[in-house]
């Protein structure tokens, strides 16, 4: 085995099934390790390390049929028929999320600086095992890992997936399942779009009509639904256990018909509009001059901040076509102050860069029709940008003209379109301006888990790799072969993915 690992793209067999591609990898063709009934999982000290070891044991138990023992304490050095997980590699490049993985004939050593790195390293081990590891029934598979060395850490600290639970509501189990799928690809942010014209989806104390009225329907007139505070907390904790931060979004000042229909005092004319179940938007606005608007916003943000451990509260800001330009700027600045008063940072769709933003606020670029203008405007204010250009990163767009689900406004987005782009394309922003990437999944046309999965996979995997892997190492031809290996894994997981004809799925 080479003493110094080489670039992953030439890393050989060890990277064959890995998405995202690691930073450095080298294969040791002479070595491999096979997990057997006597293999031990050894875990070193540190808060949270044992939980990652348990995750690994729980993953392996059903398909292998082995009740792998977890032992804490001193590592056997070199490892002896064991998988060692421990903190403290001494390599500063690993940062908060990186890991160092060595596989030799004697065992596996996974090291990281932080527990998140161990968790991500376990996902890599998972992808190196045969796809049968994802089934919950015992099989006689040989649980062999290719020998070699991986040193890996992310390009960006924000690698997000957005789910719109407003246009159609998705309950806690559906979202938890998506969280599990995202974790396998090292995604670390779940942005929940909790309100829009068609539905308000989170209970807020003191404002019961938001859910009783605003949560009572959805696109097409279905029954809607909402999360109680306990539901939301359960989602936050479920995500946290998988090193995923929830970013809640309450869309304002437009996309607010559900709230306006729930409380007449939020309307400039004091009268509530009817509930709305159509798909066209851009007609609603909170009443910017009214004090009641900020009482409302402060209550909502206060509760969101209390329920959300992550640093961001997303307040939308997109498509405010019914708010005057002056009112829009006034509103965003007031909203930003409210978020900061509750100890959080404002995140918003990149239109918010029309207002004076504070450092620490984050702009999410989506509307490619402005040719990067809104992203550049944010960067010029020293505000970080999350790149979610709709023509590449929108998971709600159709794959091609035959796709039954999805919208078309941003154009057809095949697997290659979702992958073969970079946040720096077009020179709109510099690397230092970019906090990360995100793939939004809007739900106008989605009803079921199967619908959600069909639009998310495989495109979500491509966005996850863009967020993690070095730009210079990425290319569609090599990604395509690694993506093909996810097919049997998704099948084993029961994921209803789109079998893109651009990929030679291995089954
Ligand atoms: C736009 C719009 C959403 C739509 C979505 C559909 C943004 C940020 N606002 O994206 O309301 O659901 O397109 O693709």
């Amino acid at each position: 085995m080479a003493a110094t690992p080489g670039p992953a793209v030439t890393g050989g067999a060890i990277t064959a099934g890995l998405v995202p591609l690691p930073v450095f990898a080298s294969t040791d063709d002479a070595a491999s390790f096979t997990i057997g009934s006597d293999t031990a999982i050894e875990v070193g000290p540190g808060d949270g390390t044992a939980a990652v070891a348990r995750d690994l044991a729980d993953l392996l138990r059903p398909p292998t049929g082995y009740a792998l023992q977890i032992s804490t304490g001193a590592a056997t050095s070199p490892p002896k028929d064991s998988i060692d997980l421990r903190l403290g590699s001494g390599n500063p490049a690993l940062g908060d999320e990186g890991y160092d993985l060595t596989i030799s004939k004697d065992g596996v050593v996974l090291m990281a600086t932080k527990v998140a790195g161990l968790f991500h390293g376990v996902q890599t081990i998972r992808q190196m095992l045969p796809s049968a590891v994802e089934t919950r029934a015992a099989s006689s598979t040989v649980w062999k890992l290719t020998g070699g060395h991986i040193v890996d850490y992310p390009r960006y600290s924000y690698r997000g997936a957005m789910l719109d639970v407003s246009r159609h509501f998705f309950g806690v189990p559906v979202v938890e399942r998506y969280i599990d799928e995202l974790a396998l690809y090292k995604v670390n942010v779940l942005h929940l779009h909790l309100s829009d014209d068609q539905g308000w989806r989170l209970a807020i104390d003191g404002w019961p009509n938001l859910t009783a009225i605003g949560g009572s329907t959805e696109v097409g007139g279905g029954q809607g639904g909402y999360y109680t505070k306990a539901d939301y907390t359960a989602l936050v904790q479920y995500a946290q256990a998988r090193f995923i931060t929830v970013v809640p979004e309450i869309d304002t000042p437009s996309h607010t018909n559900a709230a306006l229909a729930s409380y007449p005092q939020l309307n400039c004319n004091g009268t509530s509009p009817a509930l709305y179940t159509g798909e066209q938007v851009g007609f609603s606005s909170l009443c910017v001059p009214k004090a009641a608007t900020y009482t409302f916003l402060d209550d909502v943000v206060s509760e969101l901040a209390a329920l959300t451990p992550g640093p961001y509260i997303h307040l939308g800001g997109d498509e405010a076509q019914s708010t005057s330009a002056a009112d829009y700027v006034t509103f965003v600045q007031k909203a930003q102050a409210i978020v900061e008063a509750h100890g959080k940072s404002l995140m918003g769709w990149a239109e918010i860069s029309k207002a004076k933003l504070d450092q620490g606020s984050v702009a999410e670029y989506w509307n490619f029709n402005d040719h990067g203008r809104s992203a550049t405007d944010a960067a010029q204010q020293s505000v970080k940008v999350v790149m979610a250009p709709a023509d590449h990163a929108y998971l709600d767009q159709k794959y091609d003209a035959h796709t039954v689900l999805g919208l078309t406004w941003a154009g057809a987005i095949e697997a290659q379109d979702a992958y073969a782009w970079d946040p720096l394309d077009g020179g709109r922003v510099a690397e230092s301006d970019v906090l990360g990437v995100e793939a939004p999944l809007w739900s106008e046309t989605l009803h079921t888990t199967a619908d959600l999965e069909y639009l998310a996979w495989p495109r979500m995997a491509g966005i996850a790799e863009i967020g993690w892997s070095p730009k210079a190492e990425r290319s569609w031809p090599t990604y395509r072969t690694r993506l093909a290996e996810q097919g049997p894994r998704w099948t084993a997981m029961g994921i209803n993915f789109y079998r893109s004809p651009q990929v030679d799925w291995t089954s």
Side-chain angles (χ1 to χ4, degrees):
M1 180 165 62
T4 313
V9 75
T10 54
I14 200 167
T15 62
L18 300 186
V19 174
L21 186 70
V23 175
F24 297 106
S26 61
T27 298
D28 181 353
D29 290 319
S32 66
F33 176 69
T34 301
I35 298 172
S37 56
D38 293 332
T39 302
I41 299 178
E42 297 190 342
V43 61
D47 277 358
T49 56
V52 178
R54 272 197 305 278
D55 286 347
L56 180 60
D58 290 349
L59 173 80
L60 294 172
R61 196 160 293 137
T64 63
Y66 309 147
L68 301 179
Q69 299 301 311
I70 300 177
S71 64
T72 49
T76 44
S77 178
K80 196 85 197 98
D81 194 6
S82 62
I83 304 173
D84 290 3
L85 313 180
R86 54 197 61 253
L87 296 180
S89 81
N91 178 359
L94 299 186
D96 288 349
E97 295 192 284
Y99 63 93
D100 183 310
L101 176 65
T102 306
I103 295 162
S104 68
K105 66 180 184 357
D106 296 317
V108 175
V109 179
L110 175 61
M111 313 240 281
T113 312
K114 297 272 178 68
V115 183
L118 292 180
F119 183 84
H120 294 318
V122 164
Q123 307 314 310
T124 298
I125 294 172
R126 202 173 149 186
Q127 290 185 346
M128 289 174 65
L129 286 165
S131 59
V133 76
E134 306 297 345
T135 58
R136 299 296 84 198
S139 77
S140 55
T141 308
V142 178
W143 306 102
K144 187 173 161 184
L145 292 160
T146 301
H149 186 201
I150 292 175
V151 180
D152 198 16
Y153 44 85
R155 176 176 174 189
Y156 297 121
S157 63
Y158 186 117
R159 304 176 305 280
M162 190 215 81
L163 182 61
D164 173 8
V165 294
S166 174
R167 273 52 178 277
H168 283 98
F169 181 65
F170 294 100
V172 171
V174 178
V175 181
E176 287 181 346
R177 182 177 159 98
Y178 195 39
I179 290 171
D180 280 332
E181 296 168 4
L182 295 168
L184 179 55
Y185 293 93
K186 302 184 173 72
V187 171
N188 69 350
V189 174
L190 176 68
H191 165 182
L192 285 174
H193 186 77
L194 291 166
S195 75
D196 212 300
D197 287 319
Q198 299 89 344
W200 183 285
R201 307 300 179 203
L202 179 65
I204 302 289
D205 286 346
W207 297 83
N209 291 350
L210 289 172
T211 46
I213 297 173
S216 66
T217 192
E218 57 191 5
V219 166
Q223 66 177 18
Y226 64 89
Y227 303 124
T228 63
K229 288 167 84 164
D231 289 339
Y232 178 79
T233 298
L235 281 178
V236 165
Q237 289 173 351
Y238 194 88
Q240 217 170 15
R242 288 150 187 81
F243 297 89
I244 292 177
T245 301
V246 169
V247 173
E249 179 186 353
I250 295 297
D251 205 346
T252 61
S254 190
H255 292 267
T256 41
N257 193 75
L260 297 169
S262 304
Y263 286 98
Q265 71 262 37
L266 299 178
N267 297 272
C268 282
N269 66 3
T271 306
S272 278
L275 288 167
Y276 178 69
T277 60
E279 287 189 23
Q280 299 310 311
V281 291
F283 59 87
S284 59
S285 180
L286 290 171
C287 187
V288 173
K290 254 190 171 177
T293 296
Y294 305 97
T295 308
F296 163 74
L297 201 59
D298 192 71
D299 282 358
V300 170
V301 170
S302 162
E303 290 199 26
L304 270 183
L307 294 173
T308 306
Y312 301 114
I313 303 289
H314 199 306
L315 288 183
D318 56 322
E319 300 176 312
Q321 289 139 23
S322 304
T323 317
S324 74
D327 273 1
Y328 181 81
V329 167
T330 303
F331 178 84
V332 171
Q333 279 165 204
K334 286 192 174 192
Q336 178 173 252
I338 289 173
V339 169
E340 289 171 5
H342 292 287
K344 301 290 183 185
S345 296
L346 176 75
M347 189 162 171
W349 300 104
E351 288 99 314
I352 63 167
S353 61
K354 290 179 186 143
K356 165 103 193 55
L357 298 178
D358 295 332
Q359 266 186 41
S361 294
V362 171
E364 180 166 6
Y365 176 68
W366 66 280
N367 190 356
F368 63 98
N369 289 319
D370 81 9
H371 306 290
R373 175 78 195 265
S374 54
T376 307
D377 285 353
Q380 280 173 354
Q381 299 197 51
S382 301
V383 157
K384 297 263 194 233
V385 178
V386 167
M387 298 302 270
D391 51 345
H392 297 286
Y394 266 32
L395 304 179
D396 67 316
Q397 301 300 299
K398 290 181 188 291
Y399 289 99
D400 64 22
H402 306 293
T403 314
V404 175
L405 299 168
L407 305 179
T408 55
W409 75 267
I413 302 178
E414 248 294 355
Q416 184 172 3
D417 304 308
Y419 180 77
W421 66 281
D422 191 81
L424 305 189
D425 285 352
R428 305 149 169 163
V429 287
E431 182 73 353
S432 57
D433 300 321
V434 180
L435 187 65
V437 293
E438 185 165 286
L441 182 45
W442 303 95
S443 63
E444 285 92 333
T445 67
L446 310 184
H447 294 84
T448 63
T449 302
D451 292 350
L452 185 163
E453 290 178 345
Y454 188 78
L455 289 182
W457 307 106
R459 290 181 292 196
M460 184 67 237
I463 308 298
E465 174 149 315
I466 293 170
W468 182 282
S469 306
K471 181 179 182 204
E473 300 287 322
R474 295 201 296 110
S475 78
W476 167 252
T478 71
Y479 172 68
R480 192 176 158 269
T481 61
R482 289 179 289 106
L483 181 57
E485 297 294 326
Q486 311 310 306
R489 194 164 297 275
W490 291 336
T491 301
M493 292 168 81
I495 295 179
N496 179 42
F497 68 102
Y498 164 66
R499 287 185 174 272
S500 165
Q502 298 181 327
V503 179
D504 298 325
W505 301 102
T506 55
S507 100

